[in-house]
Amino acid sequence: MGSPQGSTLTSDMTGLIDGSTARSDVSFIDCLPVYVKELIAGGAAGAIAKTTIAPLERIKILLQTRTDGFQSLGVYQSLRKVLKHEGFMGFYKGNGASVVRIIPYAALHFMTYEQYRGWMLDNCNFFGSGPLVDLIAGSCSGGTAVLCTYPLDLARTKLAYQVVDTRTKFSSAMTSLYPRPAYSGIRDVLTTVYKEGGMRGLYRGVGPTLAGILPYAGLKFYIYEVIKIRVPEEHQKSIVMNLSCGAIAGLLGQTFTYPLDVVRRQMQVLCSKSNNLVK
């Protein structure tokens, strides 16, 4: 490294070239603790990812919960039906709850993963330092994140499960295509479910969720690390390569644990279906 004056001059030149105040921003970020950086990075990545795939996530929930009118439809037909009845914004119903949940979920997931992994490397030498550590740390971090954010996942599912017909937007109100409890937002879901079932109601379906997330989160980190170590060193920092490794790891992990995800969604909307039958 050069002298302090040389470093300052280099930083000043960088600021002049790009016309920004990047130096002060970078200095502020560099001063943050590692776990805070992991929280920010994990939360931002999760929010962007969930918003990007929100339309497919909405359709997945409608198909998993066998929503009336969607049982025999495929993905393309379901997308067309949602667009017809709810418009473009129908694809993003429940995405607000999803983003509110995924920010702390992803942040906690990545932060606790690093914390668990570091603790194991320091205190559990018999596990070594290979992918097995990633498998265990990933499972523990996934379970921790689920327990802390599960009520928001429940709210997201209940909101996405509702299908309303916005073709009546010029009338006095929107009408529900199928009779079921209607929720106006995240707060309404949480308060209603709590009044009906207390904390147990807010955590309905957490059993299969944990049973699925523990192997899923562990396998995701394990497979990612196994694939990545086989990538040539000069390509390991490539964004495209990391994205590809992450996509493969997520695909395989999700495939192995998908049946439990279906059970979770069914349990999350079970109360709504039961109340509907009573009425």
Side-chain angles (χ1 to χ4, degrees):
M1 295 295 291
S3 65
Q5 288 182 345
S7 300
T8 302
L9 179 60
T10 302
S11 301
D12 289 340
M13 288 299 293
T14 302
L16 288 172
I17 292 172
D18 61 18
S20 67
T21 57
R23 186 182 58 161
S24 59
D25 293 339
V26 171
S27 297
F28 172 74
I29 294 175
D30 287 343
C31 291
L32 294 175
V34 174
Y35 72 90
V36 175
K37 295 178 185 177
E38 291 165 354
L39 280 171
I40 295 172
I48 293 171
K50 280 296 181 184
T51 301
T52 302
I53 63 171
L56 292 175
E57 281 285 308
R58 173 89 197 280
I59 298 304
K60 183 183 79 168
I61 291 175
L62 292 174
L63 296 179
Q64 284 179 328
T65 56
R66 300 182 62 80
T67 302
D68 296 335
F70 287 85
Q71 298 100 320
S72 59
L73 299 183
V75 175
Y76 177 69
Q77 290 176 309
S78 298
L79 287 168
R80 288 188 62 185
K81 187 164 187 172
V82 170
L83 182 62
K84 176 183 176 182
H85 292 291
E86 296 185 322
F88 180 76
M89 293 309 296
F91 294 138
Y92 291 88
K93 178 175 286 186
N95 187 57
S98 180
V99 170
V100 169
R101 166 190 169 267
I102 201 63
I103 290 177
Y105 173 84
L108 283 169
H109 196 177
F110 284 99
M111 184 195 74
T112 55
Y113 166 73
E114 293 295 342
Q115 298 300 314
Y116 286 134
R117 189 175 187 278
W119 183 85
M120 291 179 64
L121 290 175
D122 292 338
N123 299 279
C124 304
N125 296 330
F126 49 88
F127 285 121
S129 59
L132 179 60
V133 174
D134 299 300
L135 177 67
I136 298 173
S139 298
C140 293
S141 63
T144 301
V146 162
L147 289 174
C148 292
T149 62
Y150 187 78
L152 290 171
D153 184 54
L154 180 73
R156 178 274 186 94
T157 299
K158 288 185 175 293
L159 289 171
Y161 175 62
Q162 298 179 123
V163 182
V164 296
D165 194 343
T166 57
R167 292 173 300 179
T168 60
K169 62 184 178 180
F170 295 110
S171 304
S172 57
M174 292 187 296
T175 59
S176 177
L177 288 178
Y178 311 106
R180 64 178 57 119
Y183 300 103
S184 59
I186 302 173
R187 183 176 179 180
D188 185 31
V189 174
L190 295 179
T191 54
T192 301
V193 172
Y194 182 77
K195 288 178 182 178
E196 293 174 351
M199 289 301 295
R200 177 176 291 184
L202 290 175
Y203 277 85
R204 185 178 187 86
V206 74
T209 302
L210 285 174
I213 197 64
L214 292 178
Y216 167 69
L219 284 170
K220 182 174 66 175
F221 283 108
Y222 175 82
I223 295 171
Y224 176 79
E225 292 298 331
V226 168
I227 296 174
K228 192 175 178 181
I229 59 177
R230 286 167 170 73
V231 174
E233 187 174 351
E234 61 270 19
H235 298 299
Q236 288 191 0
K237 293 185 178 181
S238 167
I239 294 177
V240 174
M241 185 58 65
N242 281 291
L243 181 62
S244 300
C245 293
I248 295 171
L251 174 64
L252 294 176
Q254 182 72 58
T255 300
F256 292 142
T257 61
Y258 188 77
L260 290 169
D261 190 50
V262 176
V263 173
R264 169 178 60 142
R265 299 299 185 193
Q266 290 281 351
M267 291 186 69
Q268 287 177 334
V269 301
L270 185 59
C271 287
S272 297
K273 291 181 177 179
S274 299
N275 292 340
N276 189 35
L277 291 174
V278 171
K279 291 182 180 180

